[in-house]
């Protein structure tokens, strides 16, 4: 009698559906998964250790590179932790700007997720549609910070600078005639807020477009309904947060339950799922896109009416104005000290968490009173989600592994750190 | 309001787990309790199972290596007389094995009552050892693996204590404070041997910004401005 053995299969680390560098060792009985053992760490850069060897401000840029599709939300948790240790709060206008960019980031992240998840399980068009809208939001990033992705825009005490009065414009080239350029620049003639308002106006129609393609799509439902089901109790025990937890029907959102910045002044709803499968998590994230759109609109209205400072005017924490440095000796010294040595943060420890697009993103920061963090620990939502991989795919088919990876919204920048 | 809630939680935790009042403290609106390694599992079980505390979610596990806590690269207190040294001096304060070098820090969350608790356990021996909490919260499994990998904390009873973030065959625990930032080995492809070889690291360690501790309290002058114009 022939001996029947389980087959061990290696999935990744270079696999288009592995969302980066995930190596999965799958033990299979035919096409059914018996056990999954994710090997992570292929993108480990020791961000936490690097941050312990740099002044506080110089690590903000590292935060962007953790979850590199929701850059500003990572910065937010880090900056909040420093502010909590220092005992300061930024001006209200800066808080609104931060909330607005957090929500822009959420849309960016969810669009990336939707496109990639769709592509993984057969909806090719989604990727193109999602990147079309992402492009506009990337331009907003570029307008405020100068870079399209790794912004380093949030700073302890506020944000780097106020919102720009004008948007960058397309230029006429050999391949783009003046008429076409004019059409492309149509929404870019005003300020950043005008551009964003234009985006917010047309974005709900874009979401409808995505939903027409997917929500009632027979193939999409076959691939997602009943796949990777997690009960609410189990989701809690496994450390799920964000849409993964809400998809299982637990109403938990830090923006509402432990509000930071100005979230308590804004109106928005928290969508939750019923069945806890991939399809419900998809629906939750689609609704979050709409809610984020609503929040951005409220922020735009407030920011239009309330000009003001976007940074604490504390020379020990925030750099002086360029013009002051030309004539004022003290401003020059402050600038020099701030950019060489940085500032010392009082001794203590804090944990600050934000509702990141993927779940709870926390920073545990220990300071011994120096100009560098003594210990920085990043609590990444994806780390807890991926650790439940084995449980979620057990008994499913090989093709469902891809759906489960997609639904977890995995980005290795934050998991491996 | 948050303060009152935390006080309530502190009282609850102290009474249900039979802890002395001195073991808990509230700082910056966060509640921390300190536990002995021996009582960890029993207390953690109560924290999760007690219906009035209900810390059902395991948020985070971090390890802190206190080897160089409060040690600065530059002495700044006496400098007005002597002046700063030019370079960062190395080798000082490399003391080994002092009691309470490592602390394991757990962050727990209750979804029902919306409160957080930080549990801190100081470890003494080398290698640092602690019983696992992964049977209580399955989420702790990978966090403990990470702590083992990066700090070498042994979690006794853990079902699968393997390295998780570092490379296959890595030696050492890289996040300890006595592990150099530039690492110990580097790898390159050797065209003669036609394989990847590991060699001792060739990077010169360099400190761009020295760590300094200044005891000025200018920070308290910084108050949030225009707080009520929203």
């Amino acid at each position: 009698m022939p001996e029947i053995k389980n087959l061990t299969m290696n999935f990744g680390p270079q696999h288009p559906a592995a969302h980066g560098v995930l190596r999965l060792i799958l033990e299979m009985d035919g096409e059914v998964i018996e056990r999954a053992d994710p090997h992570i760490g292929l993108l480990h850069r020791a961000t936490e250790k690097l941050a312990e060897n740099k002044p506080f401000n110089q690590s903000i840029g590292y935060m962007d590179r953790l979850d590199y599709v929701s850059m500003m939300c990572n910065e937010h948790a880090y900056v909040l932790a420093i502010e909590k240790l220092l005992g300061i709060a930024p001006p209200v206008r800066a808080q609104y700007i931060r909330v607005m960019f957090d929500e822009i980031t959420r849309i960016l992240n969810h669009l990336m997720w939707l496109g990639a998840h769709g592509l993984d399980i057969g909806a090719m068009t989604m990727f193109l549609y999602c990147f079309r809208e992402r492009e506009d939001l990337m331009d907003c990033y570029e307008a405020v910070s100068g870079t399209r992705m790794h912004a380093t825009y949030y700073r302890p005490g506020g944000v780097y600078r106020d919102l720009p009065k004008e948007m960058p414009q397309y230029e006429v080239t050999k391949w783009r005639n003046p008429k076409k350029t004019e059409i492309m620049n149509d929404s870019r003639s005003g300020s950043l807020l005008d551009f964003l308002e234009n985006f917010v106006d047309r974005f709900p129609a874009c979401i409808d477009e995505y939903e027409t393609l997917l929500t009632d799509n027979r193939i999409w439902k076959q691939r997602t309904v009943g796949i990777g089901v997690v009960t609410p109790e189990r989701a809690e025990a496994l450390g799920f947060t964000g849409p993964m937890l809400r998809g299982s029907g637990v109403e938990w959102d830090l923006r509402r339950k432990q509000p930071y910045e100005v979230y308590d002044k804004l109106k928005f709803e928290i969508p939750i799922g019923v069945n806890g499968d991939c399809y419900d998590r998809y629906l939750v994230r689609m609704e979050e896109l709409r809610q984020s759109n609503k929040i951005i609109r409220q922020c735009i209205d407030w920011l239009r009416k309330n000009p003001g400072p976007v940074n604490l005017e504390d020379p020990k924490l925030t750099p002086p104005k360029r013009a002051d440095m030309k004539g004022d000796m003290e401003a020059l010294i402050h600038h020099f000290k701030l950019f060489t040595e940085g500032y010392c943060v009082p001794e203590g420890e804090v944990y600050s968490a934000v509702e990141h697009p993927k779940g709870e993103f926390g920073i545990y920061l220990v300071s011994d009173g120096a100009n560098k963090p003594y210990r920085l620990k990043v609590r990444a939502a994806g780390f807890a989600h991926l650790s439940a991989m084995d449980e979620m795919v057990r008994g499913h088919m090989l093709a469902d592994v891809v759906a489960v990876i997609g639904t977890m919204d995995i980005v290795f920048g934050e998991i491996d750190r | 309001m948050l303060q009152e809630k935390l006080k309530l939680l502190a009282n609850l935790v102290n009474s249900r787990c039979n802890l002395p009042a001195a073991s808990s403290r509230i700082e910056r609106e966060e509640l921390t309790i300190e536990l002995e390694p021996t009582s960890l599992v029993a207390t953690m079980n109560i924290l999760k199972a007690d219906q009035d505390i209900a810390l059902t979610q395991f948020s985070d596990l971090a390890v802190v290596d206190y080897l160089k806590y409060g040690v600065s690269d530059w002495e700044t207190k006496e400098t007005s007389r002597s002046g700063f040294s030019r370079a960062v001096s190395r080798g000082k304060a490399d003391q080994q094995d002092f009691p309470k070098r490592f602390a394991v820090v757990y962050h727990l969350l209750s979804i029902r009552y919306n409160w957080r608790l930080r549990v801190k356990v100081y470890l003494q021996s080398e290698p640092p050892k602690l019983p696992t909490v992964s049977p209580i919260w399955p989420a702790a499994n990978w966090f403990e693996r990470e702590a083992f990998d990066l700090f070498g904390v042994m979690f006794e009873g853990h079902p699968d204590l393997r390295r998780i973030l570092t490379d296959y065959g890595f030696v050492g625990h890289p996040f300890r404070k006595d592990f150099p930032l530039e690492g110990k080995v580097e790898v390159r492809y050797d065209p003669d041997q036609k394989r990847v070889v590991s060699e001792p690291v060739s990077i010169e360690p360099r400190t761009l910004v020295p760590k300094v501790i200044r005891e000025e309290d200018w920070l308290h002058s910084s108050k949030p401005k225009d707080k009520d114009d929203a």
Side-chain angles (χ1 to χ4, degrees):
Chain A
M1 192 181 148
E3 200 183 326
I4 298 169
K5 261 199 329 197
N6 278 347
L7 179 76
T8 306
M9 207 183 77
N10 197 24
F11 179 104
Q14 298 296 335
H15 187 286
H19 287 211
V21 282
L22 170 66
R23 182 176 173 211
L24 266 178
I25 313 288
L26 299 170
E27 210 172 281
M28 324 228 347
D29 177 14
E31 224 187 311
V32 178
I33 314 282
E34 298 268 282
R35 200 174 79 92
D37 179 18
H39 285 205
I40 63 167
L42 289 105
L43 199 63
H44 180 57
R45 294 146 297 175
T47 304
E48 295 162 10
K49 181 129 181 153
L50 287 170
E52 286 161 23
N53 287 279
K54 285 191 164 35
F56 282 90
N57 266 13
Q58 290 183 16
S59 298
I60 301 174
Y62 278 132
M63 296 300 125
D64 291 315
R65 286 150 180 87
L66 287 172
D67 179 358
Y68 44 76
V69 292
S70 31
M71 299 67 81
M72 287 201 196
C73 289
N74 307 339
E75 288 173 25
H76 202 163
Y78 179 61
V79 166
L80 277 179
I82 300 175
E83 284 173 352
K84 210 166 170 186
L85 271 175
L86 287 168
I88 57 169
V92 184
R93 187 173 165 85
Q95 298 189 17
Y96 269 95
I97 293 177
R98 283 183 184 178
V99 166
M100 185 172 82
F101 270 95
D102 270 13
E103 296 308 318
I104 289 177
T105 308
R106 197 175 312 277
I107 295 182
L108 274 172
N109 177 80
H110 283 5
L111 285 179
M112 175 79 199
W113 161 80
L114 182 63
H117 189 32
L119 191 63
D120 283 347
I121 50 182
M124 183 78 202
T125 323
M126 289 313 299
F127 199 68
L128 303 172
Y129 278 21
C130 291
F131 269 65
R132 184 185 61 193
E133 269 73 60
R134 259 172 74 85
E135 200 57 34
D136 288 333
L137 295 175
M138 289 286 198
D139 286 345
C140 296
Y141 259 53
E142 189 177 359
V144 292
S145 71
T147 54
R148 286 160 51 84
M149 288 186 77
H150 301 304
T152 328
Y153 181 56
Y154 296 1
R155 304 287 164 90
V159 294
Y160 162 55
R161 63 172 180 187
D162 206 348
L163 302 172
K165 296 273 186 299
E166 54 190 29
M167 284 295 288
Q169 309 228 327
Y170 287 107
E171 284 169 6
V172 179
T173 65
K174 218 172 1 173
W175 301 277
R176 201 187 297 132
N177 61 39
K179 201 174 164 200
K180 195 181 170 199
T181 314
E182 203 176 307
I183 296 170
M184 288 176 82
N185 281 335
D186 194 34
S187 58
R188 291 162 187 270
S189 49
S191 68
L192 171 76
L193 286 177
D194 295 333
F195 179 74
L196 258 178
E197 190 158 40
N198 176 283
F199 177 85
V200 169
D201 286 343
R202 66 193 154 83
F203 189 56
C206 298
I207 306 174
D208 292 341
E209 205 173 47
Y210 311 145
E211 291 220 66
T212 336
L213 283 171
L214 295 179
T215 306
D216 292 322
N217 184 324
R218 202 152 30 108
I219 304 171
W220 181 258
K221 282 179 121 173
Q222 275 174 359
R223 291 302 306 272
T224 53
V225 175
I227 305 294
V229 179
V230 186
T231 60
E233 298 77 33
R234 205 56 201 155
E236 221 177 292
L238 290 167
F240 282 12
T241 46
M244 294 289 289
L245 186 61
R246 291 193 284 274
S248 296
V250 181
E251 194 209 344
W252 179 260
D253 189 317
L254 291 179
R255 293 177 291 172
R256 176 64 53 79
K257 303 285 176 183
Q258 299 174 1
Y260 48 96
E261 309 291 20
V262 289
Y263 275 115
D264 48 350
K265 294 176 194 155
L266 298 168
K267 286 193 187 70
F268 61 98
E269 317 273 337
I270 303 170
I272 57 168
V274 179
N275 304 315
D277 57 4
C278 292
Y279 186 67
D280 278 23
R281 288 187 282 268
Y282 154 77
L283 291 177
V284 165
R285 288 190 174 108
M286 291 311 267
E287 186 54 32
E288 281 186 19
L289 283 174
R290 293 181 200 278
Q291 296 302 329
S292 294
N293 204 54
K294 252 167 79 182
I295 299 177
I296 295 176
R297 191 188 298 278
Q298 294 170 52
C299 291
I300 293 173
D301 290 344
W302 192 93
L303 287 166
R304 274 193 202 287
K305 287 180 208 138
N306 298 278
V310 294
N311 232 329
L312 285 183
E313 279 177 28
D314 184 333
K316 305 281 184 194
L317 274 179
T318 51
K321 289 196 177 66
R322 212 70 210 172
D324 294 345
M325 282 167 56
K326 307 293 179 194
D328 183 8
M329 187 66 196
E330 206 160 304
L332 192 64
I333 296 171
H334 276 136
H335 182 269
F336 178 74
K337 281 306 266 184
L338 198 60
F339 282 90
T340 52
E341 189 181 291
Y343 45 85
C344 291
V345 166
E347 189 176 353
E349 53 188 337
V350 291
Y351 178 79
S352 79
V354 297
E355 185 69 30
H356 187 270
K358 292 182 169 56
E360 177 180 320
F361 185 89
I363 296 278
Y364 172 56
L365 191 63
V366 181
S367 169
D368 59 351
N371 57 341
K372 302 175 181 181
Y374 185 75
R375 171 87 171 109
L376 174 76
K377 171 72 170 62
V378 177
R379 190 264 181 214
F383 189 79
H385 295 161
L386 190 61
S387 69
M389 187 70 177
D390 180 42
E391 194 172 317
M392 280 178 82
V393 300
R394 215 170 260 211
H396 279 308
M397 307 285 258
L398 176 61
D400 298 329
V401 173
V402 175
V404 171
I405 294 176
T407 198
M408 282 180 177
D409 197 2
I410 280 170
V411 163
F412 272 87
E414 63 158 5
I415 292 172
D416 290 348
R417 286 158 282 152
Chain B
M1 203 190 91
L2 191 57
Q3 281 286 346
E4 285 162 28
K5 217 172 154 183
L6 286 178
K7 272 188 194 135
L8 175 73
L9 176 61
N11 290 335
L12 263 175
V13 169
N14 286 341
S15 60
R16 299 283 161 90
C17 307
N18 289 322
L19 296 172
S23 66
S24 66
R25 59 175 194 273
I26 299 174
E27 273 167 12
R28 294 187 172 87
E29 300 190 321
E30 290 177 16
L31 173 64
T32 308
I33 62 168
E34 264 176 42
L35 293 180
E36 290 299 317
T38 44
S39 63
L40 178 77
V41 172
T43 313
M44 289 298 220
N45 262 318
I46 299 172
L47 291 181
K48 190 195 173 191
D50 192 302
Q51 290 301 307
D52 298 326
I53 303 174
L55 291 159
T56 47
Q57 194 166 48
F58 188 89
S59 283
D60 190 26
L61 185 153
V63 184
V64 186
D65 177 0
Y66 281 100
L67 185 66
K68 292 185 178 167
Y69 191 80
V71 179
S72 49
D73 294 335
W74 271 1
E75 197 52 60
T76 53
K77 277 180 206 157
E78 299 284 316
T79 41
S80 47
R81 248 172 284 151
S82 60
F84 281 112
S85 59
R86 281 293 170 149
V88 172
S89 51
R90 285 179 191 284
K92 69 173 183 181
D94 269 352
Q95 64 218 89
Q96 295 286 331
D97 289 334
F98 61 90
K100 297 189 172 180
R101 172 173 164 189
F102 293 100
V104 176
V105 185
Y106 302 87
H107 285 98
L108 307 173
L109 167 74
S110 166
I111 284 180
R112 188 188 305 163
Y113 297 110
N114 190 12
W115 51 37
R116 288 178 191 279
L117 175 68
R118 178 186 298 133
V119 178
K120 233 175 155 175
V121 187
Y122 286 96
L123 307 178
Q124 307 215 3
S125 57
E126 179 70 40
K129 275 189 207 149
L130 200 63
T132 177
V133 295
S134 57
I136 309 174
W137 294 277
N141 188 318
W142 273 28
F143 285 101
E144 289 182 348
R145 276 179 69 185
E146 184 194 325
F148 161 70
D149 187 2
L150 302 179
F151 287 93
V153 179
M154 307 293 289
F155 290 94
E156 288 168 322
H158 189 283
D160 183 22
L161 201 62
R162 283 178 291 155
R163 286 186 178 272
I164 187 164
L165 287 179
T166 52
D167 200 0
Y168 304 110
F170 189 88
V171 178
H173 301 292
F175 276 25
R176 290 187 174 191
K177 288 283 177 181
D178 48 5
F179 192 95
L181 180 65
E182 63 278 1
K184 287 180 175 160
V185 290
E186 60 186 16
V187 290
R188 70 175 174 89
Y189 178 72
D190 188 331
D192 299 332
Q193 297 180 52
K194 290 204 165 55
R195 66 183 181 94
V196 175
V197 291
S198 316
E199 292 166 342
V201 76
S202 62
I203 309 167
E204 282 283 310
R206 197 159 67 121
T207 304
L208 293 177
V209 182
K211 177 180 167 188
V212 292
I213 298 175
R214 295 183 191 279
E215 288 177 3
E216 295 159 286
D217 62 354
W218 50 265
L219 289 160
H220 303 297
S221 66
S222 193
K223 291 259 154 41
K225 280 162 198 161
D226 67 350
K227 203 162 186 191
D228 41 10
D229 70 355

